[in-house]
Amino acid sequence: MTSENSGREQDEATGAGAAADAATEDFVAHRNLLFTVAYEMLGSAADAEDVLQETWLRWAGVDLDTVRDRRAYLVRITTRQALNRLRTLGRRKESYVGSWLPEPLLTTPDVAEDVELADSVSMAMMLVLETLAPVERAVFVLREVFDLGYDEIADAVEKSPAAVRQIAHRARAHVAARRPRGEVSAAESRRVLAAFQRAVETGDLQGLLDILSPDVVLLGDGGGIKQAVLRPIVGADKVARLMLGGLGKLEMAMRMDPAQVNGHPALVVRLDGELDTVVAVRFDEGRITGLYAVRNPEKLSYMRDEATTLSR
């Protein structure tokens, strides 16, 4: 081999290494954003991680010299992979045992400080997003949460900008009709949740009724693995009596701890020291209108890990 050929190969290897380093650097820099996009579209942290793996594999093969906006390009790849996964999830949910609830995330304090981000990943909002068609959900998330332009979204969902505008308008109206009616401050949320915890721990039926909305809804997700209510329980009296009656039958020591879940105050329930249930709450005008109890152990891994950082 001539020294000239050897030098050329060394230069090519150096160039390939530099490109790989740049690709890795860009991916790591935007990883929290990409995870947030995937999670908001899927409601599943495990599936969001799989989407990020698929995104990386595609990103690693891209010629970076041809990419004008690397952040937008990464979001586009992630969105397309999430849409593919969302359709698979839809089929999986059709055979799911009982109610399907989003996978709860233990989140860092900065998520709660970003009010718009916290609202978009709340359990209540994630359930609203579940009622959108896949492309509607993608358009809503990219436009309303991440403030992407219609042209960028059109590239990501493979629709025309005009079609994306119509989809965004329809999705926005759909979500507005179903989102919580009145804003509740973080301090008020913590106060009401503390009152709820106190009433549950002391078996105070009237105390529970005082903070539950008359039309409160309880949803449980055991995934066929853990016992949970299979259908929504509606009404303050039914919900309160069911909760207190169920706790009265427990033969294990129960402990409830407040935590930041999906950017909002929630309760983590442990039985004999083991993580058993995450209870997320929806507040409307100072009262609890939704209780979301996730017991499926396959959905609780991100409650055992370090707090997740989300970003926009």
Side-chain angles (χ1 to χ4, degrees), residues 40-247:
E40 291 210 26
M41 286 184 59
L42 300 171
S44 165
D47 284 290
E49 288 287 3
D50 288 344
V51 163
L52 258 62
Q53 289 293 325
E54 293 161 2
T55 298
W56 164 248
L57 290 175
R58 283 158 178 75
W59 175 245
V62 171
D63 180 357
L64 298 187
D65 290 336
T66 67
V67 178
R68 180 175 54 83
D69 185 336
R70 296 182 183 182
R71 177 182 182 272
Y73 198 99
L74 279 163
V75 169
R76 184 171 71 192
I77 298 174
T78 300
T79 301
R80 290 180 180 175
Q81 297 308 310
L83 276 172
N84 291 338
R85 184 60 62 100
L86 192 56
R87 295 181 179 108
T88 301
L89 275 179
R91 293 190 292 273
R92 195 189 307 169
K93 291 171 189 174
E94 291 174 1
S95 59
Y96 198 79
V97 178
S99 299
W100 186 95
L101 291 174
E103 188 173 343
L105 293 178
L106 185 67
T107 48
T108 53
D110 60 305
V111 176
E113 293 169 4
D114 185 334
V115 176
E116 291 185 2
L117 177 60
D119 175 64
S120 71
V121 296
S122 70
M123 192 70 74
M125 178 57 75
M126 297 291 283
L127 283 172
V128 172
L129 295 180
E130 281 294 312
T131 64
L132 295 172
V135 172
E136 286 181 328
R137 184 167 183 169
V139 169
F140 181 86
V141 167
L142 295 178
R143 179 62 182 172
E144 300 300 315
V145 181
F146 299 98
D147 198 30
L148 265 64
Y150 290 112
D151 289 344
E152 288 180 281
I153 300 172
D155 285 339
V157 300
E158 299 180 291
K159 300 281 186 182
S160 71
V164 166
R165 285 180 181 272
Q166 291 181 338
I167 294 170
H169 176 76
R170 187 167 62 245
R172 195 179 302 117
H174 181 95
V175 171
R178 292 163 176 79
R179 72 192 315 158
R181 294 183 291 273
E183 290 187 11
V184 179
S185 69
E188 179 70 1
S189 297
R190 287 192 295 269
R191 185 193 68 76
V192 176
L193 196 62
F196 172 82
Q197 179 181 350
R198 189 163 53 249
V200 170
E201 290 176 335
T202 60
D204 182 0
L205 176 61
Q206 188 56 51
L208 264 183
L209 294 174
D210 288 342
I211 56 176
L212 295 178
S213 171
D215 58 353
V216 63
V217 178
L218 166 65
L219 297 177
D221 182 344
I225 302 172
K226 287 286 191 77
Q227 185 177 2
V229 294
L230 294 177
R231 287 176 290 277
I233 306 300
V234 182
D237 190 68
K238 286 183 180 179
V239 169
R241 292 183 186 279
L242 177 68
M243 294 192 69
L244 296 184
L247 292 175

Side-chain angles (χ1 to χ4, degrees), residues 15-53:
D21 289 345
T24 301
E25 184 178 328
D26 287 325
F27 185 82
V28 170
H30 297 301
R31 191 186 189 286
N32 290 340
L33 163 68
L34 302 178
F35 177 86
T36 308
V37 170
Y39 175 70
E40 291 210 26
M41 286 184 59
L42 300 171
S44 165
D47 284 290
E49 288 287 3
D50 288 344
V51 163
L52 258 62
Q53 289 293 325

Side-chain angles (χ1 to χ4, degrees), residues 255-271:
R255 173 181 166 185
M256 302 179 78
D257 296 304
Q260 281 287 323
V261 175
N262 288 55
H264 291 269
L267 291 172
V268 175
V269 180
R270 289 180 171 83
L271 298 181

